[in-house]
Amino acid sequence: MDDKINEQFRDKVTFISGSSKNAGKTTFLNYLLPRLREGGNFAFLTIGIDGERKDHIWGTDKPQIETLVGDYLLTSEYLMNKSDALFEVLQVFPWKTVLGKLLFLKTRRSGFIELAGPENNEQLGQIIEYIRTDCRIESMLIDGAVNRVTQIASIKNSKFYYVSSLQPSNYKSSLNKLRVIWELSRQERVDSMIEGEGVYCHRGAFTKKNMIGLDDSCRSVILDDFTKVFLEYSELQKFLESRKMSFINTIKLVAFVFILYDIDKNNVLEDLNEMAINCPFIFNPYELSEGGIYDKAIL
Amino acid sequence: MTKRFYEFSEIDKFLCYYSPKSPYGRNEKEEEAFYCETDKLNGIFDRIEQMISFVERYPQKADKIEYHLMRLPELNPNIADGNIRSELFNVKKFLHNYKQISHEFEIDFYSEELLKSLGHEDSQEESFYLKDDYSADLSRVRKQLREINSQLNKSKEKRVGEIHEATDLDFRFLNFLIIKENEIPPNSDSFIFLEQHDKSSVMVKPIFGKEFFLIHNLRKELLESEAGIESEILQMLKKQIIVEQEKLNTYIQTIIDLDTSMAKARLAIQFHCIRPRVTLLENLEFEDLEFIPLKEKSTRAKRIYTSLSVSFNEKNNVVTGSNMGGKTILLKTIAFSQLLVQQGFFVPARKISAPLFDSLNLIGMVNEDSNSGLSSFGEEILNLLETGKVGTRLYLVDEFARTTNSREAFALNCALLQWFAEQETVFSVTSTHLDQLPNFKCLSYWTMKGLDYEKYRLYYHRDKNRDLNERINLINNYMDYSVKPLVKSEVQKDALKIADILGLDSEIIKNAEKYLKNEEYNHGE
C-alpha cells in the first residue's frame, strides 16, 4: 500500500469537494478508499444529500461506496436498511434528516452503501468531535457536495481536494473557477476580526456589490473564509490589484483532480501553467498510464 | 410571571451557569417551571440539599454520574418500523448508562432482562448489533452469506487476475478504468466490457461471467431471507420495550429529578447559595442577598458591590433615594431572588424568607424597544392592565409615571399605593422619587442611604479630568447602597451632587441650586 497516500490522509480531515454536482467526487472517494485501509482506522462521510442520482463517470445511478469489514461510516437509517452490508450501530445522532436520523456505523459484513450527512456546520462539527473523542478516529474522508462547501471551513486543520470535470462546453468557465479557488486558497490567515485603519471586516457572503461598496480608504478586507467569496475571477483580480484579502479560517488545497472529456491533458497543463496555478494536479485517476501499469505515484 | 418580569430580573445571566447534563434535564430547563406550592418547592429543595451533600462527600461518584447523564439519549415513546434499529440502540444506550448511574447513586434498576435481550450481556457496550445467535435461523443464513461472500471474493479475485494476465488491465481497486481507444487490448471481448467515455477514450469494466452472477443472485435471495428474519427479531425486541414502557418512564422521571437537582446543587455550591424559606403571605426578608449579574459586572469593572439586606415589615413598601442610589437595582434584586425561589433554586444570600405568589408583575421599563407606538407612560399603563388579576400577586413598580407631569404623577402614585393597600393578597415594592406620599395601612417607607456626604466632602475634587468610567466609579465609591427605614425629615436630595460628579457644567449646577433654594423658601422649608 502506498505510504505516501497514507501520509497525506492520516490523522487529517480531508474533504473532496467539486466544481458541480456529479463531478466525480464519490467515484474519487471510491478510488482512494482501498488505498487507505491498511493505514489504520478511518471514517468516511458525506455532507448532506446531493439530491441528484446520476454521476458523470458512470452515467447511471449515483455510485455507492463499497464498505468493507471494519470500515466506519456515517449515513441515515433509511440508507442503512437499504444496504446489503451488515452494520453495528455505534451512535444515533438526534437530528432528523429527510432520510431519517443519522447513524455512525461500523461495518460487520462488506457490501455497498449510499451515504447521507449533516445539514449544517454545527451538526458536522459535533459529528467530527464525536468521531475523534469517542471513537478515537482522527482520519476522515468527507465527500462534499459543491453547494455545501462552506462547511469545510468550520473544521480546523482540514484540507480539501477539488474535483472538476472539464469538457469543451465548460472548459473556460471551469478554469476561471479554478483560478478563483487557487487565488483564494493562497490568501493569508489572520487571528481575529479587528477593524483598523484601512482594514475592514465583513461577515457573511462577500459579493461584487460589497466590493463596489468599499470605501476608497479600505486597503484590506478580513472575511470568515474563502467560501464566503462570490466573485468572478476578473472581479477578484481587480480587487487583489489594490487590496488585500485575509481569512479567519483557511483551508489547505491539496490538489485539483481533473476528469477530462475530449480535452487534451497537455493543453490543460499549458493553460494551468499560463495561469501560474502551482499546486499538484491529478488527471483522470482512473486512467491507465502509458506503461499499462496503474500509476499509483500520481498522488 | 410575565416575560417582562423575567427580563427585568436578568436571571438568564445567572441561569447560564445552570447546566443539566441529560437531554431530559435540558428540556426541563427550557420549560422554566414556576411553582406556587410550598410542598412542591420544599420537595425540590430537599433533593437539592441531599445532592449538595452527595456532591461534596463523593465528588468522584458525582463526576461519574454526570458523565453517564451526558451520554443518555432521548427516547422516542413511539417506535416506528422505519427507525426501529436507531430506537433500539437508544433504549440500549439509555439502559446501559442508567444502570451505571443507579450503581453510583444506589437506586434500583429493574431492566437487566431487557438489557440482556438488546445484546448487552457480552460486550457491556452501548452499541447495537443484531448478533447471529439471536436465532438459529439468523445464524444459519448469515453463515451462508459469509460463505457466499467468500466465494464471490475468490471468484472476483480469480477473474481480476485472469483479466490482468490477458489484458494488463488491473481491476483490483476499481470496478472500471478509462483507457485510450487505440489502447484497447486485442482479443479482450470475453474479458472486458466497453463503453464510450469521450471521443478518444473508452470506459472498460470487467466481465465476471455467468458463474459469478449465479452466486450473486443466490446472495440476493439470502439477503432477503436475512432481512425477513431480522425484521421478526426486531419486532420481538420492540414488543419487549413496549411492555417495559412504564419502567422506562419511571427511569426518565428519576433522571429528570437527579439531573436537575445535581445541576442546581452545583450552582448552589459555586455561588454559595442557601435554601430559601418559603411562606404564604408573610413579608419578604433578605440578608446579604446577592444580585449575581451586577456582582459579576462590578467585579469586572473593579467597583464595590453591596448585597441587599432588608426585612420588610409590611406587605407593601415604598423605597425612595437619590439618583443612581440603587433603587432599580433593589427591585431587580428582589425580582431575581423571587424568580429563583419559585423556579426551585437555592438563592445566593445568607438568609431569605419569601412568600409564594401566583403572579409576578413589573410596572417599569426593561431594556427593550417598544414597538407598540405608546409613550413610556402609555407602556406603564399597559403593563398595569396586563398584570394578574387573581391569586397572590407581587408588584415591583419602578418610578411609576415618572415621565408625566409631577402633580399627576403624585396623584397616580398615591392612588396605586392605596389600591395595593386595599388588596389582601397583593404585595408590592415601589421605587419613587416622589416626596410626601401618604400613609396607608400595610405600607412602610424605606430609603436608599445614598451619598456618604462625609466621604464626598473629603475626597471629591471637581477640577480633575476624568472619563465617564472614572466618574461612575467615584459615585460608586461615595454611594451607600444599603436600605433603611425612611425618616421623613432626613430625605436626601443628591441629584445636583450626582450631576456635578458626572461633569455637568458648573454654571448650570449653580443656577439649579439657586432655584432649589427659592423653591424651598416658597414652601417654607
Side-chain angles (χ1 to χ4, degrees), chain A residues 57 77 84 88 134 262 286, chain B residues 71 86 127 198-199 203:
Chain A
I57 298 291
E77 184 160 8
D84 62 342
E88 179 179 353
D134 265 55
D262 296 327
Y286 332 107
Chain B
R71 296 187 75 79
S86 61
S127 63
D198 64 14
K199 285 179 189 157
M203 182 186 299

Side-chain angles (χ1 to χ4, degrees), chain A residues 71-91:
Chain A
D71 281 353
Y72 294 86
L73 60 98
L74 181 84
T75 192
S76 74
E77 184 160 8
Y78 170 76
L79 293 173
M80 178 189 74
N81 291 336
K82 270 182 61 179
S83 168
D84 62 342
L86 198 57
F87 300 102
E88 179 179 353
V89 180
L90 301 182
Q91 177 67 312

Side-chain angles (χ1 to χ4, degrees), chain A residues 241-252:
Chain A
E241 273 165 14
S242 56
R243 291 179 169 120
K244 202 171 120 184
M245 188 180 276
S246 318
F247 303 112
I248 300 296
N249 292 306
T250 53
I251 317 142
K252 186 171 185 284

